[in-house]
């Protein structure tokens, strides 16, 4: 599903300055957009705008337009938008309904009162539980789950709506390394299946491997919008409060030892190719 953001400027009711300024970008269906930017850059606000929470839930002053698969976010209710765009929040606790007493009914919550036949509802819930490894936890109370389990529940409740666009705001902040790999694998799967993905993630190494495009926000404005190479390969990334992908950091330390013109590696595969000459010239020898 395609997405169009045009001239989006937004100020929270209590905001002194706009949280988003003239943000514009168009995404083709099937894109995988990474979003980076220092703390307070406006990443979560952008996610909220894509899901319609800005302005419907937060109020405030919004200018410009967000079109989700052709639907104008301002003229569409948040409930209707959830069928097109799913939002996984930074903190999974805030995503729970607070009214459902089991994992299974929490996952079903979004489908209730939507006129979806019972059999289909059961099938969709079962699929979401299975996909997020929650089958064994289906009867647990959501508030008794660990942070990682709660994160998976939050993702399941969003996926059960089968949205064409999935927006994830630092979805792995509560997870251990195995959980991170699992969620990233799931996002890759969904992307392969045709879902448009928008992922806010401070681990730029993950974005370098997965994203087809990266948006860099700073003080609410789009500072860069391009391929992972164009954006994550920038020399000034650290100055913008963003840690470069791991291979790029290593590259900066050993650059003088590499053949001239070696491009900055961003992925593991690129690092392997870039650093191979180091081994053959004995770049790891102790200085005499
Ligand atoms: N509910 C709110 N009311 C008023 N101002 C807010 C609100 N939420 C966020 N802001 C402000 O809007 C700006 C953008 O915040 P936002 O949470 O979108 O940044 P972020 O890039 O997601 O940061 P982080 O990396 O810390 O998650 C910040 O200046 C923040 O203080
Ligand atoms: Mg945020």
């Amino acid at each position: 599903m395609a997405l169009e953001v045009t001239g989006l400027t937004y100020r929270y009711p209590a905001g002194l300055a706009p949280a988003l300024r003239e943000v514009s970008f168009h995404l083709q269906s099937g894109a995988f957009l990474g979003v980076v930017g220092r703390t307070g850059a406006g990443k979560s606000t952008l996610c909220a705008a894509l899901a319609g929470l800005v302005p419907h839930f937060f109020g405030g002053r919004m200018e410009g337009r967000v079109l989700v698969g052709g639907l104008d976010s301002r003229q569409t209710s948040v409930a209707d938008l959830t069928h097109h765009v799913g939002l996984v929040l930074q903190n999974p606790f805030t995503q729970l309904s607070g009214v459902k007493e089991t994992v299974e009914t929490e996952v079903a919550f979004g489908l209730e009162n939507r006129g979806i036949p019972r059999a289909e509802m059961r099938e969709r819930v079962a699929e979401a539980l299975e996909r997020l490894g929650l089958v064994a936890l289906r009867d647990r109370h959501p508030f008794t789950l660990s942070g990682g389990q709660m994160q998976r529940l939050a993702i399941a409740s969003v996926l059960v709506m089968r949205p064409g666009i999935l927006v994830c705001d630092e979805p792995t902040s509560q997870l251990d390394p195995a959980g991170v790999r699992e969620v990233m694998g799931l996002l890759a799967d969904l992307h392969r299946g045709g879902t448009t993905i928008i992922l806010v993630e401070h681990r730029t190494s993950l974005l370098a491997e997965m994203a087809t495009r990266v948006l860099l926000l700073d003080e609410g404005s789009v500072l860069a919008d391009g391929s992972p190479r164009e954006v994550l390969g920038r020399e000034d990334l650290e100055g913008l409060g963003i840690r470069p992908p791991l291979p790029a950091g290593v590259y900066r330390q050993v650059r003088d030892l590499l053949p001239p013109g070696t491009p900055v590696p961003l992925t593991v595969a690129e690092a392997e190719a870039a650093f191979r000459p180091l081994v053959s010239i004995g770049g790891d020898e102790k200085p005499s």
Side-chain angles (χ1 to χ4, degrees):
M1 185 173 285
L3 181 73
E4 272 185 53
V5 177
T6 314
L8 176 62
T9 296
Y10 175 71
R11 190 193 290 262
Y12 284 99
L16 297 174
L20 295 174
R21 301 166 197 257
E22 287 288 322
V23 172
S24 294
F25 64 94
H26 292 190
L27 269 193
Q28 308 270 36
S29 184
F32 191 132
L33 179 76
V35 180
V36 296
R38 69 171 97 235
T39 285
K43 306 179 297 294
S44 294
T45 307
L46 177 62
C47 292
L50 300 181
L53 298 176
V54 158
H56 292 300
F57 177 76
F58 286 103
R61 219 177 107 95
M62 169 176 157
E63 287 160 53
R65 205 165 66 155
V66 175
L67 286 182
V68 175
L71 291 176
D72 189 320
S73 72
R74 233 197 265 259
Q75 282 145 29
T76 313
S77 71
V78 172
D80 285 339
L81 282 169
T82 56
H83 291 271
H84 305 285
V85 45
L87 172 61
V88 177
L89 298 171
Q90 205 163 358
N91 176 356
F93 190 79
T94 55
Q95 185 132 19
L96 298 179
S97 68
V99 298
K100 294 297 180 184
E101 295 189 348
T102 67
V103 164
E104 185 167 23
T105 52
E106 177 71 29
V107 172
F109 183 62
L111 292 175
E112 284 171 6
N113 310 318
R114 307 296 302 176
I116 292 161
R118 286 219 141 263
E120 184 187 336
M121 221 164 111
R122 266 198 300 273
E123 183 197 312
R124 285 212 209 178
V125 170
E127 186 194 302
L129 290 173
E130 175 74 40
R131 214 155 184 186
L132 274 299
L134 292 167
V135 175
L137 302 172
R138 69 200 307 159
D139 296 321
R140 287 271 295 276
H141 195 292
F143 289 150
T144 67
L145 300 180
S146 70
Q149 291 167 337
M150 222 181 256
Q151 189 67 271
R152 285 190 276 140
L153 171 56
I155 299 174
S157 332
V158 166
L159 283 190
V160 79
M161 307 304 286
R162 298 188 175 157
I165 301 174
L166 183 64
V167 181
C168 298
D169 189 0
E170 309 217 27
T172 58
S173 50
Q174 311 285 323
L175 303 181
D176 58 15
V180 173
R181 273 196 299 278
E182 224 172 89
V183 169
M184 291 301 149
L186 177 75
L187 292 185
D189 267 0
L190 289 167
H191 181 230
R192 267 193 296 276
T195 304
T196 303
I197 310 272
I198 294 152
L199 173 62
V200 176
E201 179 58 63
H202 68 271
R203 278 167 288 214
T204 50
S205 299
L206 293 175
L207 294 182
E209 300 284 346
M210 300 176 74
T212 56
R213 185 168 156 193
V214 178
L215 195 73
L216 196 176
L217 289 178
D218 196 52
E219 294 186 9
S221 300
V222 175
L223 206 69
D225 175 5
S227 66
R229 168 150 301 283
E230 284 163 335
V231 180
L232 301 178
R234 283 170 71 117
E235 292 272 346
D236 61 352
L237 219 50
E238 262 164 308
L240 296 165
I242 302 156
R243 198 178 290 177
L246 203 65
V250 176
Y251 168 87
R252 300 219 159 99
Q253 290 174 29
V254 299
R255 161 156 54 189
D256 295 344
L257 300 170
L258 296 173
T262 304
V264 51
L266 300 177
T267 63
V268 171
E270 289 168 6
E272 223 180 310
F275 299 147
R276 194 168 295 125
L278 272 186
V279 178
S280 54
I281 61 166
D284 57 346
E285 274 171 18
K286 276 199 190 126
S288 47

